[in-house]
Amino acid sequence: MPENFKSRDKIIKEWINEIGRVVLANIDSQLEIEQKTTPNDLVTNMDKWIEKELVKNIRTVFPSDRILGEEGFGDSIEDMKGTVWFVDPIDGTLNFILQNENFALMLAVYEDGIAVQSYIYVVTLDRLYSAIKGEGVSCDGQQLPEPRDSALNEGMLATNSSIMIEEKYDHIRKIAKASLGLRLIGSAGLESVEVAKGSIVAYIATNLKPWDVAPGLLFMEELGLKATQFNNEPLNLLENNNIIFATKKAHQEIIKLLN
Ligand code: IPD
Ligand code: CA
Ligand code: CA
C-alpha cells in the first residue's frame, strides 16, 4: 500500500474517532433544525459542526487538497484534478433527527478522479467501514469477503423513497418485483454498506449527490461489484446521478429492466 494512503488512513480514522465521540456524547441534546430546499431536506447544527471540524482538519494537514462538502463549508469543485475530498457529515439526516440511529458520517478521497480511500462510520454502533484502493474493504479492521454474485431473485433490493412515491418512476418498481423483497434504510451510505456485505443484491436510487455515492463507489470497485448510472455509464462525481450499486448478475438484470 502506498505510504501516503497508509498515513492518511491513520489520520482520518483518528478524526472520525474523535468526532464520533462528540456526536455520541450529544446524541440526546436538543437539535437546531433548519429546512434547506423542501420540508424533508433538513440540516442540523450537528451536520454543520461535523463538516466544519472535518474541513478544518483537512485544511490544516492537507492544505493544497480541495473539499466538496454537503453543507457548503468546503470548496466549489468543477473538475476532479488533484486530491479531492467528499464529505457528507451525516448521511441520513432525517433518520438522525427522527430515529437517533441509521445514519453515518462519510468521507472519500479521490486522486485525479480515481477513488483511493473511503470511510462510512456508523456512529451509534461505533462501526467503521473503510476501503483503500487495492486493499479491499474492511469493517473495524476485519476484511470483508467479496459477496456471492447473486441474481435479483436470490436477494433483496434497496431503493430511495423517490422511486417509491414519484409517478415518473412507476416503471422502475418492476425491479422490486423481480427481487425477493424491498428495503429502504434512508441512508445511501448504509445502503452501499449492505451491498458490500452481500446482505442486499442491489441498491438503486435517483438523484444522489456526489457525496452520497463517492464512498460507496470504492467499496463496489474493491469487492468486484458494479457501480453505474441507470444508463450503464460510469458515475459522474461532478453531478447528481441515478445510480445502481449491485452484484454483476443483478446489475445486468436491472439494466435490462430499465431499458
Ligand atoms: C440522503 C440519504 C437518503 C437519499 C437522499 C440523500 P442526507 O442524504 O442518503 O437515503 O435517498 O437522496 O440526500 O441528506 O441525509 O445526507
Ligand atoms: Ca447524504
Ligand atoms: Ca448529509
Side-chain angles (χ1 to χ4, degrees):
M1 182 198 315
E3 207 42 51
N4 63 323
F5 290 4
K6 214 181 193 176
S7 55
R8 192 166 50 196
D9 180 63
K10 192 166 168 273
I11 294 170
I12 294 172
K13 284 177 174 160
E14 283 167 8
W15 294 344
I16 290 177
N17 204 5
E18 274 165 30
I19 291 173
R21 260 190 282 136
V22 176
V23 177
L24 272 184
N26 290 284
I27 198 93
D28 294 321
S29 312
Q30 185 75 36
L31 290 171
E32 289 157 33
I33 304 169
E34 281 167 57
Q35 185 175 315
K36 295 199 279 186
T37 52
T38 55
N40 61 5
D41 184 17
L42 304 173
V43 62
T44 72
N45 52 316
M46 192 57 89
D47 298 67
K48 291 184 184 175
W49 178 79
I50 297 171
E51 185 167 313
K52 279 188 197 161
E53 280 297 300
L54 286 169
V55 168
K56 183 180 75 191
N57 291 344
I58 299 165
R59 294 218 194 283
T60 306
V61 185
F62 305 101
S64 50
D65 295 357
R66 295 180 300 153
I67 308 162
L68 184 60
E70 172 170 18
E71 310 308 341
F73 300 108
D75 306 296
S76 71
I77 303 280
E78 271 153 28
D79 63 67
M80 293 290 289
K81 283 188 209 130
T83 304
V84 175
W85 295 66
F86 291 88
V87 175
D88 189 341
I90 297 183
D91 181 54
T93 293
L94 260 190
N95 292 349
F96 173 63
I97 295 170
L98 299 174
Q99 305 179 322
N100 261 1
E101 58 182 348
N102 299 320
F103 63 92
L105 183 163
M106 310 210 290
L107 256 184
V109 186
Y110 280 63
E111 288 184 351
D112 292 321
I114 295 172
V116 292
Q117 288 176 240
S118 73
Y119 301 82
I120 298 181
Y121 179 57
V122 193
V123 184
T124 52
L125 301 178
D126 184 24
R127 186 178 290 164
L128 178 64
Y129 294 90
S130 61
I132 296 183
K133 188 169 176 53
E135 301 286 322
V137 182
S138 58
C139 172
D140 290 337
Q142 192 89 8
Q143 202 79 10
L144 293 191
E146 277 195 17
R148 201 170 79 78
D149 188 17
S150 305
L152 258 184
N153 66 3
E154 294 176 298
M156 296 191 288
L157 173 86
T159 186
N160 63 336
S161 6
S162 303
I163 289 185
M164 299 310 299
I165 59 188
E166 288 181 32
E167 255 171 52
K168 66 177 176 194
Y169 298 129
D170 279 354
H171 65 291
I172 294 180
R173 291 198 283 273
K174 61 181 178 249
I175 298 168
K177 259 194 193 161
S179 77
L180 277 185
L182 188 64
R183 295 292 179 272
L184 273 76
I185 302 175
S187 153
L190 295 182
E191 275 145 330
S192 313
V193 162
E194 294 308 310
V195 182
K197 282 163 46 187
S199 55
I200 57 172
V201 290
Y203 170 53
I204 56 170
T206 50
N207 209 25
L208 291 190
K209 317 283 188 320
W211 45 82
D212 293 319
V213 295
L217 176 57
L218 183 58
F219 285 16
M220 300 303 118
E221 289 177 350
E222 287 297 311
L223 291 169
L225 296 159
K226 296 283 288 181
T228 71
Q229 300 188 48
F230 282 6
N231 59 8
N232 210 6
E233 292 290 321
L235 266 53
N236 180 345
L237 289 174
L238 299 171
E239 289 176 0
N240 292 356
N241 290 260
N242 295 335
I243 64 115
I244 309 168
F245 284 173
T247 63
K248 291 193 182 90
K249 276 188 191 157
H251 180 267
Q252 207 172 18
E253 293 171 87
I254 291 167
I255 292 283
K256 250 193 211 156
L257 287 164
L258 282 172
N259 295 295

